[in-house]
């Protein structure tokens, strides 16, 4: 069974640019969530997708958007990058159970 | 609104000593509670979870946690620390309702193990 994978591992962008992060969920998992973890902080919930629809969102502006595909993989898009967007972005997948399984994350640096 | 407070951003213990990491939660509905561990430059790994069954929950690597409703606590313990336990530990809460897997995390406790 393949776990949650994310790409790329690291990414460097400049302020104002746009970025796309990708996540492949664990086999059989139809729900994907994205979290932002700033340095020295706990992860913060960005949003959740279930069967290609966003069905939950945290306190993040609209320039954070996402997609979920029919194979349940997902993308996180961030427009107009700001310095404070520098963080580890974690993807987590779940099925009908009560546990989310996290990927290794993408480290985004905004210069 | 849910919240999690982890007391102590940094805890140091000697190898072989008891590990105690504290977590208090706030939730208006019955919660599901989780402990995750994060090693440097890695994602989160589930240690254990409470989902309204037994109040004493056993997890991986010898860790356990006890849900105490009266104290709104879910402290993580391990009888004997090992060097490999050095990592950051996060407590998280989730509403025990259907549909949303949204987790609210604490700020984390970094555990150092002294040889």
């Amino acid at each position: 069974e393949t776990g949650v994978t994310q790409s790329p591992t690291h990414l460097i962008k400049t302020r104002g640019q746009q970025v796309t992060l990708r996540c492949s969920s664990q086999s059989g998992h139809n729900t994907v969530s994205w979290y932002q973890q700033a340095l020295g902080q706990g992860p913060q919930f960005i949003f959740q997708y279930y069967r290609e629809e966003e069905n939950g969102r945290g306190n993040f502006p609209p320039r954070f958007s996402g997609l979920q595909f029919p194979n349940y993989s997902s993308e996180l898009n961030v427009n107009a990058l700001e310095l404070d967007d520098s963080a580890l972005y974690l993807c987590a997948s779940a099925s009908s159970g009560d546990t989310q399984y996290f990927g290794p994350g993408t480290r985004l640096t905004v210069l | 609104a849910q919240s999690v407070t982890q007391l102590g951003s940094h805890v140091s213990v000697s190898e072989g000593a008891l590990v105690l990491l504290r977590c208090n939660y706030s939730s208006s509905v019955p919660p599901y509670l989780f402990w995750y561990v994060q090693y440097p430059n890695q994602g989160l790994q589930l240690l254990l979870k409470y989902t309204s069954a037994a109040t004493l929950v056993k997890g991986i690597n010898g860790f356990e946690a006890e849900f105490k409703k009266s104290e709104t606590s879910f402290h993580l313990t391990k009888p004997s620390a090992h060097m490999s336990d050095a990592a950051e530990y996060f407590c998280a809460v989730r509403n025990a309702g259907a549909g949303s897997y949204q987790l609210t995390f604490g700020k984390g406790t970094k555990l150092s193990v002294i040889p």
Side-chain angles (χ1 to χ4, degrees):
Chain A
E1 185 179 272
T2 306
V4 179
T5 60
Q6 294 185 243
S7 63
T9 305
H10 296 87
L11 202 54
I12 299 174
K13 291 286 189 178
T14 55
R15 197 169 47 181
Q17 284 189 312
Q18 178 266 343
V19 69
T20 298
L21 310 182
R22 294 178 174 83
C23 171
S24 291
S25 59
Q26 190 162 319
S27 177
H29 287 187
N30 55 19
T31 303
V32 173
S33 300
W34 285 90
Y35 292 80
Q36 181 195 65
Q37 185 179 17
L39 200 60
Q41 300 294 318
Q44 290 202 324
F45 176 75
I46 302 175
F47 45 55
Q48 174 181 298
Y49 278 82
Y50 171 68
R51 293 186 175 178
E52 304 177 56
E53 296 284 334
E54 182 182 303
N55 72 339
R57 190 175 185 93
N59 189 26
F60 281 81
R63 60 189 185 83
F64 285 78
S65 63
L67 283 172
Q68 187 182 29
F69 300 100
N71 66 354
Y72 304 134
S73 65
S74 176
E75 287 182 354
L76 164 66
N77 298 290
V78 187
N79 292 323
L81 283 167
E82 300 176 0
L83 297 179
D84 285 349
D85 296 332
S86 294
L88 180 68
Y89 288 85
L90 296 164
C91 169
S93 72
S95 61
S96 57
D98 49 47
T99 303
Q100 290 182 91
Y101 295 90
F102 284 80
T106 293
R107 174 75 62 188
L108 172 64
T109 302
V110 182
L111 302 176
Chain B
Q2 306 167 114
S3 66
V4 172
T5 302
Q6 291 185 239
L7 292 175
S9 59
H10 196 170
V11 170
S12 292
V13 299
S14 297
E15 191 174 16
L18 171 72
V19 175
L20 171 61
L21 304 182
R22 299 178 187 275
C23 172
N24 288 89
Y25 70 92
S26 171
S27 177
S28 58
V29 297
Y32 287 169
L33 294 160
F34 303 81
W35 276 99
Y36 284 87
V37 61
Q38 186 175 37
Y39 296 98
N41 300 313
Q42 294 189 25
L44 301 174
Q45 180 183 6
L46 180 68
L47 275 178
L48 49 79
K49 61 185 179 184
Y50 166 77
T51 57
S52 74
T55 56
L56 182 62
V57 180
K58 294 187 184 298
I60 62 170
N61 302 337
F63 284 94
E64 62 181 39
E66 186 172 8
F67 173 69
K68 292 187 177 180
K69 184 178 179 180
S70 61
E71 299 177 7
T72 60
S73 69
F74 189 58
H75 301 331
L76 181 70
T77 60
K78 181 174 180 178
S80 176
H82 191 271
M83 295 298 294
S84 61
D85 295 326
E88 189 145 25
Y89 293 79
F90 292 94
C91 181
V93 63
R94 176 194 147 203
N95 283 344
S100 173
Y101 289 89
Q102 177 179 347
L103 293 173
T104 301
F105 285 87
K107 292 188 176 183
T109 298
K110 186 174 182 180
L111 175 66
S112 297
V113 181
I114 304 164

